[in-house]
Amino acid sequence: KNQVEQSPQSLIILEGKNCTLQCNYTVSPFSNLRWYKQDTGRGPVSLTIMTFSENTKSNGRYTATLDADTKQSSLHITASQLSDSASYICVVSDDGNKLVFGAGTILRVKS
Amino acid sequence: SQTIHQWPATLVQPVGSPLSLECTVEGTSNPNLYWYRQAAGRGLQLLFYSVGIGQISSEVPQNLSASRPQDRQFILSSKKLLLSDSGFYLCAWSNNRSPLHFGNGTRLTVT
C-alpha cells in the first residue's frame, strides 16, 4: 500500500533555531516528492519539488533532501522565524501522477 | 500569473441542507482541477478530479458530487449534507508544468 509517513507529528522550537522534518514513503513507482507549507486555515503552498535524480533542493531557508534508495526525505529549516509556524506536508507522486499525502508535521516557532 | 479563488471561506449548514462550494482558476487554460478534504491530523483525501469540462472522476464513494461547467470552474455539491461532511475542503489546480496550487479552503461545519 502506498503510504507517506511524517515525523514528528508536532514540534516546538525557539525562534532562530534550526529544525528538520522527516518524511518516509513506500510509494512505488516513484515520480517526485514535494514539500508544502500550510498556514492555519489556508491552502498548502509548494516549497520544493524533487525528482528521482535530485538529492537536495533549497528554497531560501528551506532545504529538502531526498534519498530515493531508502525512500526518505527531510525538510531542514534554518534560522527559524515566527512565520515558519505552520503545517508542513510531504506529498509523493507515482508515475501515474497519483499523489499520496502525509498527515503533516505541525511546527510552532516561539519567541 | 495564475490565481485560484475558492469560496466561501467558512460555512455552517444544518444537516439535510444542500451544499455548493465554488472554485475558479484564472491565468491558465485547461487546468486539471481537484477537490480535497482535509481531516484534522490526517493527510489530504482526494475527492474528485477533472481533466476537462464535464469530465469528473470520483476517488471515494460519498455524499458529495462535483461538476465542471466551464474550463476554469469547479463546483462541489451535495443535495443533503450529513454531519460527517464537516471538514476543510480544498480546491486545487495543476497542469503539466506546475505542481498543485491550492485555494485557501472552505471550513464546512454541518450542525
Side-chain angles (χ1 to χ4, degrees):
Chain A
K1 181 180 177 181
N2 288 334
Q3 289 184 313
V4 175
E5 303 284 343
Q6 289 188 245
S7 61
Q9 193 171 29
S10 63
L11 182 62
I12 300 175
I13 61 173
L14 289 174
E15 186 179 14
K17 297 296 185 182
N18 304 335
C19 68
T20 301
L21 314 181
Q22 299 291 343
C23 174
N24 297 338
Y25 62 92
T26 60
V27 176
S28 181
F30 173 86
S31 176
N32 59 68
L33 183 146
R34 313 163 192 205
W35 283 95
Y36 282 83
K37 178 187 178 187
Q38 184 177 18
D39 294 315
T40 301
R42 306 290 293 272
V45 175
S46 179
L47 293 175
T48 65
I49 178 169
M50 303 175 70
T51 59
F52 184 88
S53 59
E54 296 175 294
N55 301 119
T56 303
K57 184 168 279 190
S58 293
N59 178 0
R61 293 179 297 101
Y62 300 101
T63 299
T65 66
L66 173 64
D67 186 334
D69 292 329
T70 60
K71 297 187 177 182
Q72 296 179 325
S73 175
S74 66
L75 181 69
H76 186 75
I77 304 175
T78 304
S80 61
Q81 301 176 358
L82 296 178
S83 59
D84 292 331
S85 295
S87 177
Y88 291 84
I89 302 172
C90 176
V91 186
V92 181
S93 174
D94 67 12
D95 62 359
N97 278 324
K98 181 177 175 62
L99 301 181
V100 183
F101 287 78
T105 292
I106 299 173
L107 173 66
R108 181 181 158 210
V109 181
K110 60 178 189 178
S111 56
Chain B
S1 64
Q2 303 91 353
T3 57
I4 178 169
H5 303 280
Q6 188 181 340
W7 67 93
T10 59
L11 188 61
V12 180
Q13 293 281 105
V15 168
S17 64
L19 172 73
S20 180
L21 303 182
E22 191 160 342
C23 173
T24 59
V25 180
E26 297 176 0
T28 187
S29 56
N30 197 31
N32 299 322
L33 296 173
Y34 308 82
W35 278 110
Y36 285 90
R37 177 165 53 204
Q38 187 175 35
R42 303 181 68 178
L44 275 71
Q45 180 187 36
L46 179 62
L47 302 176
F48 301 96
Y49 69 93
S50 171
V51 297
I53 295 175
Q55 301 179 58
I56 309 295
S57 296
S58 174
E59 286 292 299
V60 293
Q62 57 201 306
N63 184 42
L64 302 168
S65 62
S67 62
R68 185 170 178 174
Q70 300 180 45
D71 180 45
R72 287 168 288 179
Q73 183 184 29
F74 206 24
I75 298 172
L76 184 69
S77 305
S78 174
K79 292 182 180 179
K80 288 185 178 182
L81 283 169
L82 306 172
L83 285 175
S84 57
D85 291 325
S86 294
F88 191 55
Y89 290 85
L90 287 159
C91 179
W93 75 270
S94 72
N95 59 29
N96 292 337
R97 296 173 299 280
S98 75
L100 278 177
H101 298 274
F102 288 88
N104 281 327
T106 295
R107 173 72 60 192
L108 172 65
T109 303
V110 183
T111 61

